[in-house]
Coordinates of all heavy atoms in Angstrom, one line a residue:
M638 N 4.4 7.4 -18.7 CA 4.7 7.9 -17.3 C 6.1 7.5 -17.0 O 6.2 6.4 -16.7 CB 3.6 7.3 -16.5 CG 4.0 7.7 -14.9 SD 2.9 6.7 -13.8 CE 3.8 5.1 -13.8
P639 N 7.0 8.4 -16.9 CA 8.4 8.2 -16.4 C 8.2 7.8 -14.9 O 7.7 8.7 -14.1 CB 9.1 9.4 -16.6 CG 8.4 10.1 -17.7 CD 7.0 9.7 -17.6
L640 N 8.9 6.7 -14.4 CA 8.9 6.5 -13.0 C 10.4 6.3 -12.7 O 11.2 5.6 -13.1 CB 8.2 5.3 -12.7 CG 8.2 4.7 -11.3 CD1 7.7 5.7 -10.2 CD2 7.5 3.4 -11.2
V641 N 10.8 7.1 -11.7 CA 12.3 7.1 -11.4 C 12.4 6.7 -9.9 O 11.7 7.3 -8.9 CB 12.9 8.6 -11.5 CG1 14.2 8.6 -11.1 CG2 12.7 9.0 -13.0
H642 N 13.3 5.8 -9.6 CA 13.6 5.4 -8.2 C 15.1 5.9 -7.9 O 16.0 5.7 -8.7 CB 13.6 4.0 -8.1 CG 12.2 3.3 -8.1 ND1 11.4 3.1 -7.0 CD2 11.4 3.0 -9.1 CE1 10.4 2.5 -7.3 NE2 10.3 2.6 -8.7
I643 N 15.2 6.6 -6.8 CA 16.5 7.1 -6.3 C 16.8 6.7 -5.0 O 16.0 6.8 -4.0 CB 16.5 8.7 -6.5 CG1 16.2 9.2 -7.8 CG2 17.9 9.3 -6.0 CD1 16.1 10.7 -8.0
D644 N 17.9 5.9 -4.9 CA 18.3 5.4 -3.6 C 19.3 6.3 -3.0 O 20.4 6.6 -3.7 CB 18.9 4.0 -3.6 CG 17.8 3.0 -4.1 OD1 16.7 3.1 -3.5 OD2 18.2 2.2 -4.9
L645 N 19.2 6.8 -1.8 CA 20.1 7.7 -1.2 C 20.5 7.3 0.4 O 19.5 6.7 0.9 CB 19.5 9.1 -1.0 CG 18.9 9.8 -2.2 CD1 17.8 10.7 -1.8 CD2 20.1 10.6 -2.8
I646 N 21.5 7.7 0.9 CA 21.8 7.4 2.2 C 21.0 8.6 3.0 O 21.2 9.8 2.5 CB 23.3 7.4 2.6 CG1 23.9 6.2 2.0 CG2 23.6 7.5 4.1 CD1 25.3 6.0 2.2
A647 N 20.3 8.3 4.0 CA 19.6 9.4 4.8 C 20.5 10.4 5.3 O 21.7 10.2 5.6 CB 18.9 8.6 5.9
G648 N 20.0 11.6 5.4 CA 20.7 12.7 6.0 C 20.6 14.0 5.2 O 21.1 15.0 5.8
R649 N 20.0 14.0 4.1 CA 19.9 15.2 3.4 C 18.7 16.1 3.9 O 17.6 15.4 4.4 CB 19.8 15.0 1.9 CG 21.0 14.6 1.3 CD 20.8 13.9 0.0 NE 22.2 13.5 -0.5 CZ 22.6 12.3 -0.2 NH1 22.1 11.5 0.6 NH2 23.9 11.9 -0.7
S650 N 18.7 17.3 3.8 CA 17.6 18.1 4.3 C 16.4 18.1 3.3 O 16.6 17.6 2.2 CB 18.0 19.6 4.4 OG 18.2 20.2 3.1
D651 N 15.2 18.5 3.8 CA 14.1 18.5 3.0 C 14.3 19.4 1.7 O 13.8 19.1 0.7 CB 12.9 19.0 3.8 CG 12.2 18.0 4.7 OD1 12.7 16.8 4.5 OD2 11.5 18.5 5.6
Q652 N 15.1 20.5 1.9 CA 15.2 21.4 0.9 C 16.1 20.8 -0.2 O 15.9 20.9 -1.4 CB 15.9 22.7 1.2 CG 16.0 23.7 0.2 CD 14.7 24.2 -0.4 OE1 13.8 24.5 0.4 NE2 14.5 24.1 -1.7
Q653 N 17.1 20.0 0.2 CA 18.0 19.4 -0.7 C 17.2 18.3 -1.6 O 17.4 18.2 -2.6 CB 19.1 18.6 0.0 CG 20.2 19.6 0.6 CD 21.2 18.8 1.4 OE1 20.9 18.1 2.3 NE2 22.5 19.1 1.0
L654 N 16.4 17.6 -0.9 CA 15.5 16.5 -1.5 C 14.6 17.3 -2.6 O 14.3 16.7 -3.7 CB 14.8 15.7 -0.5 CG 15.6 14.9 0.4 CD1 14.8 14.2 1.3 CD2 16.6 13.8 -0.5
K655 N 13.9 18.3 -2.1 CA 13.1 19.0 -2.9 C 13.9 19.6 -4.2 O 13.4 19.4 -5.4 CB 12.6 20.2 -2.2 CG 11.4 21.0 -2.8 CD 10.9 22.1 -2.0 CE 9.7 22.8 -2.7 NZ 9.1 23.9 -1.8
N656 N 15.1 20.1 -4.0 CA 15.8 20.6 -5.3 C 16.2 19.4 -6.1 O 16.1 19.6 -7.4 CB 17.0 21.2 -4.6 CG 16.8 22.5 -3.9 OD1 15.7 23.1 -4.1 ND2 17.8 23.0 -3.3
L657 N 16.5 18.3 -5.6 CA 16.9 17.1 -6.4 C 15.6 16.6 -7.3 O 15.7 16.5 -8.4 CB 17.3 15.9 -5.4 CG 17.5 14.6 -6.0 CD1 18.7 14.6 -7.1 CD2 17.7 13.5 -5.0
V658 N 14.4 16.6 -6.5 CA 13.3 16.2 -7.4 C 12.9 17.1 -8.5 O 12.6 16.8 -9.5 CB 12.0 16.1 -6.3 CG1 10.7 15.9 -7.1 CG2 12.3 14.9 -5.4
R659 N 13.2 18.4 -8.2 CA 12.9 19.4 -9.1 C 13.8 19.3 -10.3 O 13.3 19.3 -11.6 CB 13.0 20.9 -8.5 CG 12.7 22.0 -9.6 CD 13.3 23.4 -9.1 NE 14.8 23.2 -9.0 CZ 15.5 23.7 -8.0 NH1 15.0 24.2 -6.9 NH2 16.8 23.4 -8.1
D660 N 15.1 19.1 -10.1 CA 16.1 19.0 -11.1 C 15.9 17.8 -12.0 O 16.1 17.8 -13.1 CB 17.5 19.1 -10.5 CG 17.8 20.5 -10.0 OD1 17.1 21.4 -10.3 OD2 18.9 20.5 -9.3
V661 N 15.7 16.6 -11.3 CA 15.4 15.3 -12.0 C 14.2 15.5 -12.9 O 14.1 15.1 -14.0 CB 15.3 14.2 -11.1 CG1 14.9 12.9 -11.6 CG2 16.6 14.0 -10.4
T662 N 13.1 16.0 -12.4 CA 11.9 16.2 -13.1 C 12.1 17.0 -14.4 O 11.8 16.8 -15.5 CB 10.8 16.9 -12.2 OG1 10.6 16.0 -11.2 CG2 9.5 17.1 -13.0
D663 N 12.8 18.2 -14.1 CA 13.2 19.1 -15.3 C 14.0 18.4 -16.3 O 13.8 18.5 -17.5 CB 14.0 20.3 -14.8 CG 13.1 21.3 -14.0 OD1 11.8 21.1 -14.0 OD2 13.6 22.2 -13.4
A664 N 14.9 17.5 -16.0 CA 15.8 16.8 -16.9 C 14.9 15.8 -17.7 O 15.1 15.6 -18.9 CB 17.0 16.1 -16.2
I665 N 14.0 15.2 -17.1 CA 13.1 14.2 -17.7 C 12.2 14.9 -18.6 O 12.1 14.4 -19.8 CB 12.4 13.3 -16.7 CG1 13.3 12.3 -15.9 CG2 11.3 12.5 -17.3 CD1 12.8 11.6 -14.7
V666 N 11.6 16.0 -18.2 CA 10.7 16.7 -19.1 C 11.6 17.2 -20.3 O 11.1 17.1 -21.5 CB 10.2 18.0 -18.3 CG1 9.4 18.9 -19.3 CG2 9.2 17.4 -17.3
K667 N 12.7 17.7 -20.2 CA 13.5 18.2 -21.3 C 13.9 17.2 -22.2 O 13.9 17.4 -23.5 CB 14.8 18.9 -20.7 CG 15.9 19.4 -21.7 CD 17.1 19.9 -21.1 CE 18.1 20.2 -22.2 NZ 19.5 20.6 -21.6
N668 N 14.2 16.0 -21.7 CA 14.9 14.9 -22.6 C 13.9 14.0 -23.1 O 14.2 13.2 -24.0 CB 16.0 14.3 -21.9 CG 17.2 15.1 -21.7 OD1 18.0 15.4 -22.6 ND2 17.4 15.7 -20.4
T669 N 12.7 14.0 -22.6 CA 11.6 12.9 -23.1 C 10.5 13.6 -23.6 O 9.6 13.0 -24.3 CB 11.2 11.9 -21.9 OG1 10.5 12.7 -20.9 CG2 12.3 11.3 -21.3
G670 N 10.2 15.0 -23.3 CA 9.0 15.6 -23.6 C 7.8 15.2 -22.8 O 6.6 15.7 -23.0
A671 N 8.0 14.4 -21.8 CA 6.8 14.1 -20.8 C 6.5 15.3 -20.1 O 7.4 16.1 -19.6 CB 7.3 12.9 -20.0
P672 N 5.2 15.5 -19.7 CA 4.8 16.6 -19.0 C 5.2 16.4 -17.5 O 5.2 15.2 -17.1 CB 3.3 16.6 -19.1 CG 2.9 15.4 -19.9 CD 4.0 14.8 -20.4
A673 N 5.6 17.4 -16.9 CA 6.1 17.3 -15.5 C 5.1 16.6 -14.5 O 5.4 15.7 -13.7 CB 6.3 18.7 -14.9
E674 N 3.7 16.8 -14.8 CA 2.7 16.1 -14.0 C 2.7 14.6 -14.1 O 2.0 13.9 -13.4 CB 1.3 16.8 -14.1 CG 0.9 16.9 -15.5 CD 1.3 18.2 -16.3 OE1 2.1 19.0 -15.8 OE2 1.0 18.2 -17.6
H675 N 3.3 14.1 -15.2 CA 3.4 12.6 -15.4 C 4.7 12.0 -14.8 O 4.8 10.8 -14.9 CB 3.3 12.4 -16.9 CG 2.0 12.7 -17.4 ND1 1.5 12.3 -18.7 CD2 0.7 13.3 -16.9 CE1 0.4 12.7 -19.0 NE2 -0.2 13.2 -17.8
V676 N 5.6 12.9 -14.4 CA 6.9 12.3 -13.9 C 6.7 12.0 -12.4 O 6.3 12.8 -11.5 CB 8.0 13.4 -14.0 CG1 9.3 12.9 -13.4 CG2 8.2 13.6 -15.4
H677 N 7.0 10.6 -12.1 CA 6.8 10.2 -10.8 C 8.2 9.8 -10.2 O 9.1 9.2 -11.0 CB 6.0 8.9 -10.6 CG 4.7 9.1 -11.1 ND1 3.5 8.8 -10.2 CD2 4.0 9.5 -12.3 CE1 2.4 9.2 -10.8 NE2 2.6 9.5 -12.1
I678 N 8.6 10.3 -9.0 CA 9.9 10.2 -8.5 C 9.7 9.5 -7.1 O 9.0 10.0 -6.3 CB 10.8 11.3 -8.3 CG1 10.9 11.9 -9.8 CG2 12.1 11.1 -7.7 CD1 11.7 13.1 -9.7
V679 N 10.5 8.4 -6.8 CA 10.4 7.6 -5.6 C 11.8 7.9 -4.9 O 12.8 7.4 -5.5 CB 10.0 6.1 -5.7 CG1 10.1 5.5 -4.3 CG2 8.6 6.0 -6.3
L680 N 11.9 8.5 -3.7 CA 13.1 8.6 -3.0 C 13.1 7.5 -2.0 O 12.3 7.6 -1.0 CB 13.2 10.0 -2.4 CG 13.2 11.2 -3.3 CD1 13.2 12.4 -2.5 CD2 14.4 11.1 -4.4
N681 N 14.1 6.8 -1.9 CA 14.4 5.6 -0.9 C 15.6 6.1 -0.1 O 16.8 6.0 -0.6 CB 14.5 4.3 -1.5 CG 13.4 3.8 -2.4 OD1 12.3 3.7 -1.8 ND2 13.6 3.6 -3.6
E682 N 15.4 6.4 1.1 CA 16.4 6.7 2.0 C 16.9 5.6 2.9 O 16.0 4.9 3.5 CB 16.1 8.0 2.8 CG 16.0 9.2 2.1 CD 15.7 10.4 3.0 OE1 14.6 10.5 3.6 OE2 16.6 11.2 3.1
M683 N 18.2 5.2 2.8 CA 18.7 4.2 3.6 C 19.5 4.7 4.8 O 20.2 5.7 4.6 CB 19.7 3.3 2.8 CG 19.0 2.7 1.5 SD 20.2 2.0 0.5 CE 21.0 3.3 -0.3
Q684 N 19.5 4.0 5.9 CA 20.4 4.4 7.0 C 21.8 3.9 6.6 O 22.0 2.9 5.9 CB 19.9 3.6 8.3 CG 18.6 4.1 8.8 CD 18.6 5.6 9.0 OE1 19.4 6.2 9.6 NE2 17.5 6.3 8.5
K685 N 22.8 4.5 7.2 CA 24.2 4.2 6.9 C 24.6 2.7 7.2 O 25.4 2.1 6.8 CB 25.2 5.1 7.6 CG 25.1 6.4 6.8 CD 26.2 7.4 7.5 CE 26.3 8.6 6.8 NZ 27.2 9.5 7.4
N686 N 23.9 2.2 8.3 CA 24.1 0.8 8.7 C 23.4 -0.2 7.8 O 23.4 -1.4 8.1 CB 23.8 0.6 10.2 CG 22.4 0.7 10.5 OD1 21.6 1.2 9.7 ND2 22.0 0.3 11.6
R687 N 22.8 0.2 6.8 CA 22.1 -0.7 5.8 C 22.7 -0.6 4.4 O 22.1 -1.0 3.5 CB 20.6 -0.3 5.7 CG 19.9 -0.5 7.0 CD 19.7 -1.9 7.5 NE 18.9 -2.2 8.5 CZ 19.4 -2.5 9.8 NH1 20.8 -2.5 9.9 NH2 18.7 -2.6 10.9
Y688 N 23.9 0.0 4.4 CA 24.6 0.1 3.0 C 26.1 -0.1 3.2 O 26.6 0.3 4.0 CB 24.3 1.6 2.5 CG 24.8 1.9 1.1 CD1 24.1 1.4 0.1 CD2 26.0 2.6 0.8 CE1 24.6 1.6 -1.3 CE2 26.5 2.9 -0.3 CZ 25.8 2.4 -1.4 OH 26.2 2.6 -2.7
S689 N 26.5 -0.8 2.1 CA 28.0 -1.2 2.2 C 28.6 -1.0 0.9 O 28.0 -1.1 -0.2 CB 28.0 -2.7 2.6 OG 29.4 -3.2 2.5
V690 N 30.0 -0.6 1.0 CA 30.8 -0.5 -0.3 C 32.1 -1.2 0.1 O 32.7 -0.9 1.0 CB 31.0 1.1 -0.6 CG1 32.0 1.1 -1.7 CG2 29.9 1.7 -0.9
A691 N 32.5 -2.1 -0.8 CA 33.7 -2.9 -0.7 C 33.8 -3.6 0.6 O 34.9 -3.3 1.4 CB 34.9 -2.0 -0.9
R692 N 32.8 -4.2 1.1 CA 32.7 -4.9 2.4 C 32.6 -4.2 3.6 O 32.7 -4.7 4.7 CB 34.0 -5.9 2.5 CG 34.0 -6.9 1.4 CD 35.2 -8.0 1.7 NE 35.4 -8.7 0.5 CZ 36.7 -8.5 -0.2 NH1 37.6 -7.8 0.3 NH2 36.8 -9.2 -1.2
K693 N 32.7 -2.9 3.5 CA 32.6 -2.0 4.7 C 31.3 -1.2 4.8 O 30.8 -0.6 3.8 CB 33.8 -1.0 4.6 CG 34.0 -0.1 5.8 CD 35.2 0.7 5.7 CE 35.4 1.4 7.0 NZ 36.7 2.3 6.9
M694 N 30.6 -1.2 5.9 CA 29.4 -0.5 6.1 C 29.7 0.9 6.1 O 30.7 1.4 6.7 CB 28.8 -0.9 7.4 CG 28.4 -2.5 7.6 SD 27.3 -3.1 6.2 CE 25.8 -2.3 6.8
R695 N 28.8 1.8 5.6 CA 29.0 3.1 5.5 C 29.0 3.7 6.9 O 29.7 4.7 7.2 CB 27.8 3.8 4.6 CG 28.1 3.7 3.2 CD 29.2 4.4 2.6 NE 29.4 5.7 3.0 CZ 29.1 6.7 2.4 NH1 28.4 6.8 1.2 NH2 29.2 7.9 2.9
S696 N 28.3 3.1 7.8 CA 28.2 3.6 9.2 C 29.6 3.5 9.8 O 29.9 4.2 10.8 CB 27.2 2.9 10.0 OG 27.4 1.4 10.0
E697 N 30.5 2.7 9.4 CA 31.8 2.4 9.9 C 32.7 3.5 9.3 O 33.8 3.8 10.1 CB 32.3 1.0 9.7 CG 31.6 -0.1 10.3 CD 32.0 -1.5 9.7 OE1 32.9 -1.5 8.8 OE2 31.5 -2.4 10.2
E698 N 32.5 4.2 8.4 CA 33.3 5.2 7.7 C 33.4 6.4 8.6 O 34.3 7.2 8.4 CB 32.9 5.5 6.3 CG 33.1 4.3 5.4 CD 32.6 4.4 4.0 OE1 32.2 5.7 3.7 OE2 32.7 3.6 3.2
D699 N 32.3 6.7 9.3 CA 32.2 7.9 10.2 C 33.1 7.8 11.4 O 33.1 8.9 12.1 CB 30.8 8.3 10.5 CG 30.0 8.6 9.2 OD1 30.6 9.0 8.2 OD2 28.8 8.5 9.2
K700 N 33.5 6.7 11.6 CA 34.3 6.4 13.1 C 35.7 6.7 12.9 O 36.3 6.7 11.9 CB 33.9 5.0 13.5 CG 32.5 4.9 13.9 CD 32.2 3.5 14.3 CE 30.7 3.3 14.6 NZ 30.3 2.1 14.9

């Protein structure tokens, strides 16, 4: 059973997330031979004030 965790900054539409899950599932099926019904994907969405790159919070970048 492939189990994939994807961490994202919140803000994508439901359709974007649905497309992401579809494409990731298809890639796993293609490259591992696992059936799609065995592919589990967990999407973890973070707020921008909970993520930092190079000492700067992502929430500060929008200002």
